């Protein structure tokens, strides 16, 4: 780190080796492959976008570009090995900024470039909240209309360290990570096992299963599958019959001739599409209820 101000030449460049990264930089992972590609591009075309620094050389925005400029050694390419040396001077823009402003700009740059992993975002949000920032502050800086995304990221910190690492490495997808974080650490492995086995191969199934686990944990075993009354059994049989009827109805309109008939019906008859919209909406509601019940059943079996 430099104790004196960085010297900027007439071309707006500064000595690359005098710059230093921000220790509070939210981004912790810099993938080697893309970094090497950027390094080769900089050597061939130059650094087009300046690095934003404080007058003393701390990098506010552009650490990845600085790292690529500082790289040296041999890079293997399809054209063969290419030897590179550090770029001596890079274009910079100096900005007088407080530590708070530096943190805001660093977070904003990474967010806009989508450079942060979701775990890096979660850790950064937690850190800034501990420093006195509010969720509303974070939402304002990042241009979010609501703070739910902040809460969503923070929930990932409920994952065990092992699963957090897997999320950071891309071994667990974002949706899977969010759902796993909703249950206790002891249950997270159960969810992951079912994800890996392919049993929860859609988000709706995953959500329903996790909802079921949460319901069981908070309400206990409220479902006794062996104590259905005759009336309940009759209602279930009736429901099954109605579903079978809907399936038969849909099945009648799968061939080209029937599809043509549907088009004519829409043209000739006074059939309002709103009726179909209402039916679809109600069926989606029924589907949600059925998935919730199945989720609880699967959670009980797990």
């Amino acid at each position: 780190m430099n104790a004196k101000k960085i010297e900027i030449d007439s071309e707006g460049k500064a000595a690359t080796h005098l710059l230093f990264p921000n220790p509070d930089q939210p981004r912790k992972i810099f993938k080697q492959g893309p970094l090497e590609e950027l390094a080769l591009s900089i050597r061939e075309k130059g650094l087009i976008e300046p690095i934003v620094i404080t007058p003393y050389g701390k990098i506010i925005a552009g650490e990845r570009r600085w790292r690529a400029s500082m790289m040296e050694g041999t890079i293997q390419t399809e054209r063969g090995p290419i030897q590179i040396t550090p770029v001596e001077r890079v274009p910079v823009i100096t900005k007088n900024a407080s530590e708070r402003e530096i943190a805001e700009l660093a977070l904003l740059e990474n967010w806009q470039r989508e450079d942060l992993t979701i775990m890096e975002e979660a850790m950064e949000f937690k850190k800034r909240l501990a420093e006195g920032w509010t969720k509303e502050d974070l939402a304002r800086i990042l241009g979010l209309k609501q703070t739910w995304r902040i809460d969503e990221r923070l929930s990932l910190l409920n994952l065990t360290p092992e699963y957090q690492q897997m999320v950071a490495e891309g071994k667990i997808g974002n949706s899977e990570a969010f759902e796993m974080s909703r249950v206790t650490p002891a249950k997270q492995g159960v969810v992951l096992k079912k994800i890996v086995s392919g049993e929860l191969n859609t988000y709706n199934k995953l959500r329903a299963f996790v909802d079921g686990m949460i319901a069981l944990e908070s309400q206990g075993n409220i479902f006794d599958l062996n104590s259905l009354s005759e009336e309940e059994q009759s209602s279930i049989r009736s429901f099954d019959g109605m579903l079978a009827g809907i399936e038969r109805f849909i099945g009648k309109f799968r061939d080209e001739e029937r599809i043509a008939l549907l088009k004519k019906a829409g043209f000739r008859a006074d059939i309002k599409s709103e009726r179909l919209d209402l039916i679809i909406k109600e069926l989606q509601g029924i589907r949600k209820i059925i998935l919730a019940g199945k989720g609880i059943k699967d959670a009980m079996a797990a």
Side-chain angles (χ1 to χ4, degrees), residues 228-244 286 290:
L228 292 175
S229 67
E230 179 58 38
E231 184 180 355
E232 288 172 328
Q233 292 180 39
S234 175
S235 295
I236 290 174
R237 287 194 296 270
S238 176
F239 179 74
D240 284 339
M242 284 188 289
L243 287 181
I286 293 171
I290 293 296

Side-chain angles (χ1 to χ4, degrees), residues 90-137:
V90 289
V92 296
I93 295 174
T94 58
K95 184 176 181 65
N96 286 299
S98 66
E99 290 301 314
R100 166 76 180 232
E101 290 172 327
I102 291 173
E104 289 184 4
L105 290 168
L107 176 58
L108 183 59
E109 185 205 27
N110 283 295
W111 181 271
Q112 289 180 342
R113 292 176 181 272
E114 299 183 343
D115 282 341
L116 298 179
T117 68
I118 57 174
M119 288 312 308
E120 286 174 333
E121 289 176 10
M123 294 301 296
E124 179 68 8
F125 293 168
K126 179 183 178 182
K127 180 178 182 179
R128 298 309 168 192
L129 291 173
E131 292 175 352
W133 295 27
T134 66
K135 293 177 184 178
E136 288 71 24
D137 288 334

Side-chain angles (χ1 to χ4, degrees), residues 18 71 106 113 126 146 175 191 236 264 287-288:
L18 292 180
M71 286 183 72
R113 292 176 181 272
K126 179 183 178 182
Q146 298 175 324
S175 298
V191 180
I236 290 174
K264 288 182 179 180
R287 179 175 180 273
K288 186 176 181 180

Side-chain angles (χ1 to χ4, degrees), residues 31-149:
K31 294 182 179 179
Q32 187 67 14
L35 203 59
E36 290 180 348
E37 290 177 353
L38 179 58
L40 292 173
S41 174
I42 290 172
R43 269 59 172 191
E44 185 174 342
K45 302 293 185 181
L47 188 57
I48 298 173
E49 187 176 355
I51 297 170
V52 182
I53 63 172
T54 67
Y56 298 92
K58 179 189 284 189
I59 298 172
I60 298 174
E63 181 177 338
R64 181 169 173 268
R65 299 191 295 278
W66 172 76
R67 285 176 177 266
S69 299
M70 289 290 288
M71 286 183 72
E72 64 178 320
T74 303
I75 296 178
Q76 299 295 332
T77 72
E78 292 181 350
R79 305 186 301 275
I82 297 178
Q83 190 74 25
I84 63 170
T85 57
V87 177
E88 292 186 5
R89 302 183 73 80
V90 289
V92 296
I93 295 174
T94 58
K95 184 176 181 65
N96 286 299
S98 66
E99 290 301 314
R100 166 76 180 232
E101 290 172 327
I102 291 173
E104 289 184 4
L105 290 168
L107 176 58
L108 183 59
E109 185 205 27
N110 283 295
W111 181 271
Q112 289 180 342
R113 292 176 181 272
E114 299 183 343
D115 282 341
L116 298 179
T117 68
I118 57 174
M119 288 312 308
E120 286 174 333
E121 289 176 10
M123 294 301 296
E124 179 68 8
F125 293 168
K126 179 183 178 182
K127 180 178 182 179
R128 298 309 168 192
L129 291 173
E131 292 175 352
W133 295 27
T134 66
K135 293 177 184 178
E136 288 71 24
D137 288 334
L138 288 169
R140 173 182 53 79
I141 292 166
L142 301 175
L144 302 176
K145 293 181 180 179
Q146 298 175 324
T147 59
W148 66 264
R149 191 162 179 182

Side-chain angles (χ1 to χ4, degrees), residues 191-205:
V191 180
L192 181 60
K193 185 177 179 180
K194 284 191 169 289
I195 291 172
V196 173
S197 70
E199 295 176 67
L200 306 177
N201 56 359
T202 69
Y203 179 71
N204 285 331
K205 289 181 182 179

